[in-house]
Amino acid sequence: MTSAGPHDFARARRIVKTDEFSSVFRLRPAQKTPHFVLYARANTLAHARLGVVVAKRFAPRAVTRNTIKRVARELFRVSGLPALDLIVRLSGPVNSKAGPATGTALKVQLRAELARLFAAPVLRAPRP
């Protein structure tokens, strides 16, 4: 299943190298929510790229970390952003080992926060 279009999430639309992550992390955060920080940097490509960082200390269960990554990638995929390198970083705990790994309420909250990040006016305005 290969989809080549503006709404795919092929390797070319991902930030994968350490130096690429570092160059975006050096900048100040573009947007913050209670659980996430978004870093953005203009790139020279024809499309936006995404990197997702989810630390185990903030989401101790792999199921939760994978859910966060999945939601972030899906919202990025359909957002239609300009040529930017974006990194979404989880910056606060979303649940503990004692609570449920994922649930409808958690998914709704994560989706709302991530949608707010990707809809930020900072990302829509062209950068000089």
Side-chain angles (χ1 to χ4, degrees):
M1 181 164 87
T2 60
S3 61
H7 297 296
D8 65 348
F9 195 65
R11 186 170 177 87
R13 297 192 184 273
R14 301 177 196 164
I15 298 175
V16 292
K17 295 181 180 176
T18 304
D19 60 332
E20 294 170 344
F21 272 94
S22 298
S23 66
V24 178
F25 273 134
R26 273 184 255 157
L27 303 173
R28 288 192 341 197
Q31 188 79 8
K32 292 181 182 180
T33 65
H35 291 106
F36 297 99
V37 176
L38 178 72
Y39 297 88
R41 181 189 75 156
N43 69 25
T44 58
L45 304 172
H47 53 80
R49 297 188 308 168
L50 176 70
V52 183
V53 178
V54 182
K56 191 183 281 188
R57 69 182 175 143
F58 294 136
R61 293 184 178 173
V63 173
T64 308
R65 292 191 303 275
N66 291 337
T67 299
I68 292 167
K69 292 175 193 175
R70 191 175 304 114
V71 170
R73 288 176 183 144
E74 179 63 20
L75 288 171
F76 170 80
R77 189 182 69 79
V78 298
S79 65
L81 294 168
L84 295 168
D85 283 345
L86 302 171
I87 296 179
V88 174
R89 182 176 61 87
L90 183 65
S91 63
V94 292
N95 63 4
S96 64
K97 286 187 178 179
T102 61
T104 305
L106 178 64
K107 288 180 185 177
V108 168
Q109 180 185 12
L110 295 173
R111 183 174 289 277
E113 282 189 41
L114 289 167
R116 197 168 45 229
L117 284 178
F118 289 131
V122 171
L123 301 181
R124 300 295 175 185
R127 293 186 180 228

